[in-house]
Amino acid sequence: MHIIIIFTAMNLKLTKPIIFFDIEATGVDPAKDRIVEFSYLKVYPNGMEETKTVRINPEMPMPAEAYAIHGISDEDLKDCPTFKNVAKQIAADIQGCDVAGYNSNKFDIPILVEEFLRVDIDIHMREQNCVDVQNIFHKKEQRTLSAAYRFYCDAELIGAHGAEADTRATYEVLKAQLDRYPDLENNVKYLAEFSTMRKFVDYAGRLVFNEKDEVVVNFGKHKGKKLKDVFVSDLGYYDWVQKGDFTLDTKRCFMLVKLGKLGK
């Protein structure tokens, strides 16, 4: 007698749609680099799935290092729309959804928010549950997406570093993580909190909240100090940040703290 075991991943328990997305870009600096490919898999509470991939002209030459990773060339993008042309549609697709990705809290969300801010669109992603599947993986196993796919799904990831392949793999890995770890709640809000390593104020991680929800500087000579105290002790610090090579989101958060609208 032969026993056949069929692996069936646990389905996510959803109260609203969740968007799994992946971004390819000209580099990894949200302040300087631009998105060249945006791909998402939208999963609805009833199990229906919807996918979309958009190539975007970054309006800058493709660095050789970036091309070596994702294989997208200037020639591939020359006739593609700019982010400004597709921003409203992407924002509409994300609106009302939770979001998930692989290393999304550190890279995909910061660079996406920055692109939106450049065209004067604020999609308020801080109000959404953001599940970072990489952080769950690192807390449990500490490896890469290809290794995660092999480890959890017992398969090789074909087309790694292509946005669509990475997006689908991230979705499959999260479902397999729920199967493997009974202590992980099948709840997007819980998964978002579990996959957050630190409580960042801005997406670039220049500012963080401490245990009292006070905004603390997370870089440079004032690292570890409360931002309000730094504004008092270093009168030129705020202007230095606003004129410096920081993301628009970081500068906005500095402004909100200075105005007393962010943090305790």
Side-chain angles (χ1 to χ4, degrees), residues 213-251:
D213 279 337
E214 298 166 317
V215 178
V216 174
V217 180
N218 196 38
F219 73 104
K221 63 181 181 180
H222 294 304
K223 185 173 182 178
K225 298 178 183 178
K226 291 187 289 187
L227 183 56
K228 286 185 177 180
D229 293 344
V230 174
F231 286 154
V232 174
S233 64
D234 188 344
L235 298 179
Y237 189 65
Y238 176 80
D239 287 338
W240 173 73
V241 169
Q242 294 301 325
K243 294 175 182 177
D245 192 19
F246 296 95
T247 66
L248 297 175
D249 177 59
T250 296
K251 293 177 180 180

Side-chain angles (χ1 to χ4, degrees), residues 131-187:
V131 180
D132 192 326
V133 174
Q134 185 192 59
N135 285 346
I136 295 175
F137 186 37
H138 283 182
K139 283 186 174 183
K140 295 293 188 179
E141 306 296 342
Q142 301 184 356
R143 298 185 185 174
T144 63
L145 177 57
S146 294
Y149 193 68
R150 188 182 307 115
F151 181 84
Y152 288 111
C153 303
D154 194 26
E156 293 298 321
L157 175 53
I158 307 301
H161 297 301
E164 187 168 343
D166 287 356
T167 296
R168 170 63 65 175
T170 300
Y171 175 48
E172 296 298 334
V173 167
L174 178 57
K175 293 195 295 179
Q177 285 173 331
L178 290 169
D179 285 325
R180 181 173 289 267
Y181 307 115
D183 58 312
L184 284 181
E185 294 181 22
N186 192 341
N187 174 285

Side-chain angles (χ1 to χ4, degrees), residues 3-262:
I3 299 175
I4 299 175
I5 300 175
I6 300 175
F7 174 77
T8 303
M10 181 183 297
N11 288 323
L12 289 174
K13 294 179 182 177
L14 303 175
T15 57
K16 60 181 176 180
I18 184 169
I19 291 245
F20 289 80
F21 77 101
D22 186 74
I23 283 170
E24 303 301 334
T26 59
V28 297
D29 186 346
K32 299 178 180 178
D33 288 305
R34 301 292 186 269
I35 295 173
V36 298
E37 187 172 72
F38 177 88
S39 184
Y40 78 67
L41 167 65
K42 182 183 286 190
V43 184
Y44 292 85
N46 64 3
M48 186 179 75
E49 300 177 2
E50 176 185 334
T51 62
K52 180 185 289 186
T53 299
V54 180
R55 287 247 171 123
I56 299 168
N57 188 330
E59 301 180 278
M60 63 177 287
M62 181 68 68
E65 316 86 75
Y67 174 74
I69 293 174
H70 51 57
I72 301 173
S73 67
D74 293 329
E75 182 68 20
D76 295 328
L77 301 172
K78 68 177 183 178
D79 297 322
C80 294
T82 65
F83 189 83
K84 185 175 183 178
N85 296 140
V86 299
K88 289 184 178 178
Q89 184 58 58
I90 292 176
D93 290 341
I94 295 174
Q95 185 70 32
C97 299
D98 290 323
V99 297
Y102 196 87
N103 195 35
S104 49
N105 287 355
K106 289 184 179 179
F107 174 69
D108 301 88
I109 291 175
I111 198 168
L112 180 61
V113 167
E114 197 68 9
E115 289 277 34
F116 276 123
L117 289 174
R118 289 189 189 104
V119 295
D120 298 320
I121 295 177
D122 189 350
I123 56 173
H124 302 292
M125 293 189 73
R126 287 185 178 87
E127 299 174 1
Q128 298 166 265
N129 292 312
C130 301
V131 180
D132 192 326
V133 174
Q134 185 192 59
N135 285 346
I136 295 175
F137 186 37
H138 283 182
K139 283 186 174 183
K140 295 293 188 179
E141 306 296 342
Q142 301 184 356
R143 298 185 185 174
T144 63
L145 177 57
S146 294
Y149 193 68
R150 188 182 307 115
F151 181 84
Y152 288 111
C153 303
D154 194 26
E156 293 298 321
L157 175 53
I158 307 301
H161 297 301
E164 187 168 343
D166 287 356
T167 296
R168 170 63 65 175
T170 300
Y171 175 48
E172 296 298 334
V173 167
L174 178 57
K175 293 195 295 179
Q177 285 173 331
L178 290 169
D179 285 325
R180 181 173 289 267
Y181 307 115
D183 58 312
L184 284 181
E185 294 181 22
N186 192 341
N187 174 285
V188 172
K189 181 175 175 60
Y190 167 84
L191 292 170
E193 293 173 352
F194 184 84
S195 63
T196 299
M197 292 296 198
R198 291 203 66 180
K199 196 174 180 183
F200 292 119
V201 177
D202 63 322
Y203 290 112
R206 300 289 190 171
L207 300 172
V208 295
F209 288 108
N210 64 15
E211 65 281 357
K212 297 180 180 179
D213 279 337
E214 298 166 317
V215 178
V216 174
V217 180
N218 196 38
F219 73 104
K221 63 181 181 180
H222 294 304
K223 185 173 182 178
K225 298 178 183 178
K226 291 187 289 187
L227 183 56
K228 286 185 177 180
D229 293 344
V230 174
F231 286 154
V232 174
S233 64
D234 188 344
L235 298 179
Y237 189 65
Y238 176 80
D239 287 338
W240 173 73
V241 169
Q242 294 301 325
K243 294 175 182 177
D245 192 19
F246 296 95
T247 66
L248 297 175
D249 177 59
T250 296
K251 293 177 180 180
R252 179 179 59 170
C253 288
F254 268 81
M255 179 189 66
L256 292 174
V257 173
K258 190 173 181 64
L259 294 174
K261 295 183 178 181
L262 183 61

